[in-house]
Amino acid sequence: MSQISIPEEYIKAGKIAGEVRESIRKGSLVGMSLLEICNEVEGMFRKKGSEPAFPCCSSVNNTAAHYSAILDEEYVVKEDDIIKLDIGCHFNGYLVDTAVTISYNSEFDSLVQATEASLYAAIKAAKEGVPAGYIGKVIEEVAENWGFKTISNLSGHSIERYKVHAGISIPNVWTPANQMLKVNTVYAIEPFLTVPNGAGYVVEGKAKPIYALVTRKKTSDKRLDSFADMIWETRRTLPFSPRWYRDQYPKEELKKMLDRLVKIKVLRSYPDLIEARGGYVAQFEHTIVPTPTGAIVLTQV
Ligand code: MN
Ligand code: MN
C-alpha cells in the first residue's frame, strides 16, 4: 500500500479556496463588475493568510477560460450571463485550483448540471494507476449522455510547487496512450462543456489579462529590471494580474512595461480562451490527490 503524504499547506489552501468558492457562489453576482468580483476573491484569499495562486478568472458566456479583470475593466454581470469563476490560492507555492459555474438563467441549468456531474464522475474514477486518458473518457461520456460536447483542447493538469500546469494533462476527451495517476501527486480535474452547436474547442482571444515571469535575465533598462524583480519577489513564476501593481505605476506606463517585457520574453502573456463557434461554456474544477482506493478532494468543503 502506498503511503499518503500531503504537505499541510495543500490542505490549508484547499480549505480556503473551497470556502471562498462557496461564499461567492451563494451570493448574487448580477450588477457586480468583473473587477469587483476579482478584487473580492483575491482579497478574501489574502485576508485568510494565503496568496492568489493566479489572478481570479471570471470568464463570461462564450469565453471559456483565462479571463481576469483587465486594467480597464468595465464589464458588469447581467442576469443572463453564465460565469466561470476559476480561482486558487497558495501557501509557499503549494497551490490549489478550483472552479464553479454560476448562472441565474434556467436555460443553462442542464449545461451547468451536466458539467458538474462530469467532474464528480471523473473524481470517482480517479485513483492510483488509472490512466489520465480514461478520466477524459468518463468526462466525455457524461457530456454526451446529457447531449453536450466537451472542449477538447482544454484539460486538467498536474500541479507542483509554484507550478499551476506541471506537465501532465488530464484530458476532457478519450485519449489512448497516457500516463497513469500517481499517489502523492496533485492534479486538477476540470471539465469544460459546451452546447451541441459549439465547436468543442477554444481559440485565443484578444484580451491579455494574465502574465507570468519566464526568466530572470536582465534587460538594459533599470525600470524594467526593477519591475521584473518585484514580480519575482511577490510571485516567483506564478501568474499575476497587472491590476495588482496599479498603485506602483501609472496605468499607461504599466501597459508599456508589460508589452516590452513580453516582447523580449522576460514575461509571457496568457490570452483569454474563447469557444471557437461562440458556444456558451460551463466549467467545474477540483484539485485532487489520488490514493489506491479513490481520491482526496483538497478543494471540497
Ligand atoms: Mn482553474
Ligand atoms: Mn486548472
Side-chain angles (χ1 to χ4, degrees):
M1 202 73 144
S2 319
Q3 199 74 33
I4 306 299
S5 117
I6 304 168
E8 193 54 33
E9 287 99 331
Y10 274 126
I11 310 288
K12 280 197 324 190
K15 183 168 184 286
I16 289 172
E19 283 168 3
V20 170
R21 183 194 64 231
E22 292 309 308
S23 101
I24 298 285
R25 189 183 197 176
K26 260 185 253 153
S28 172
L29 301 180
V30 177
M32 281 179 85
S33 73
L34 297 186
L35 181 62
E36 288 171 315
I37 294 167
C38 292
N39 281 340
E40 184 162 335
V41 167
E42 292 157 2
M44 284 166 92
F45 282 148
R46 293 183 172 123
K47 219 161 114 188
K48 291 169 185 276
S50 65
E51 278 293 315
F54 46 85
C56 163
C57 289
S58 51
S59 306
V60 176
N61 299 339
N62 60 338
T63 302
H66 291 180
Y67 190 87
S68 184
I70 56 173
L71 286 167
D72 299 308
E73 191 58 56
E74 283 176 357
Y75 193 87
V76 173
V77 174
K78 297 170 194 66
E79 293 248 1
D80 284 341
D81 288 342
I82 175 166
I83 305 136
K84 281 73 64 185
L85 193 76
D86 191 337
I87 65 175
C89 63
H90 79 97
F91 287 95
N92 300 320
Y94 296 99
L95 67 95
V96 298
D97 185 0
T98 183
V100 65
T101 296
I102 300 167
S103 104
Y104 311 98
N105 181 344
S106 58
E107 196 190 312
F108 303 130
D109 281 356
S110 69
L111 176 63
V112 172
Q113 282 169 31
T115 310
E116 191 165 23
S118 73
L119 172 61
Y120 282 100
I123 290 172
K124 211 172 158 192
K127 56 183 166 193
E128 182 186 20
V130 170
Y134 176 73
I135 305 294
K137 179 178 151 91
V138 169
I139 291 168
E140 202 173 17
E141 274 173 7
V142 175
E144 280 170 4
N145 285 342
W146 283 73
F148 296 110
K149 272 185 185 168
T150 64
I151 300 286
S152 59
N153 61 343
L154 289 175
S155 58
H157 46 93
S158 56
I159 291 174
E160 286 172 14
R161 200 171 173 204
Y162 286 111
K163 280 189 197 150
V164 184
H165 294 124
I168 294 168
S169 271
I170 312 285
N172 289 326
V173 288
W174 160 235
T175 308
N178 226 308
Q179 308 225 28
M180 289 177 188
L181 300 187
K182 292 187 193 131
V183 284
N184 299 327
T185 302
V186 180
Y187 301 90
I189 302 183
E190 51 180 314
F192 288 82
L193 269 57
T194 190
V195 291
N197 58 359
Y201 62 93
V202 289
V203 292
E204 292 187 352
K206 288 198 178 68
K208 290 175 186 152
I210 300 170
Y211 294 82
L213 193 64
V214 287
T215 174
R216 298 230 61 214
K217 81 173 178 210
K218 293 291 168 202
T219 70
S220 50
D221 182 329
K222 274 191 180 149
R223 209 158 162 78
L224 293 180
D225 286 343
S226 91
F227 180 76
D229 286 346
M230 181 183 61
I231 299 299
W232 176 250
E233 290 311 319
T234 52
R235 299 301 295 165
R236 295 296 190 247
T237 52
L238 287 176
F240 65 90
S241 165
R243 293 181 279 106
W244 299 346
Y245 305 98
R246 180 64 189 85
D247 289 346
Q248 282 106 304
Y249 298 94
K251 188 157 69 179
E252 291 312 312
E253 194 188 333
L254 189 49
K255 286 183 188 170
K256 270 189 207 148
M257 287 196 302
L258 292 164
D259 284 348
R260 182 75 197 133
L261 287 166
V262 169
K263 207 164 179 194
I264 60 176
K265 298 190 161 64
V266 170
L267 295 181
R268 67 166 288 186
S269 125
Y270 297 85
D272 55 340
L273 299 170
I274 298 171
E275 217 290 326
R277 224 180 277 152
Y280 281 17
V281 177
Q283 173 213 15
F284 281 81
E285 178 174 22
H286 272 306
T287 298
I288 65 140
V289 182
T291 75
T293 53
I296 297 165
V297 184
L298 295 174
T299 44
Q300 188 79 274
V301 288

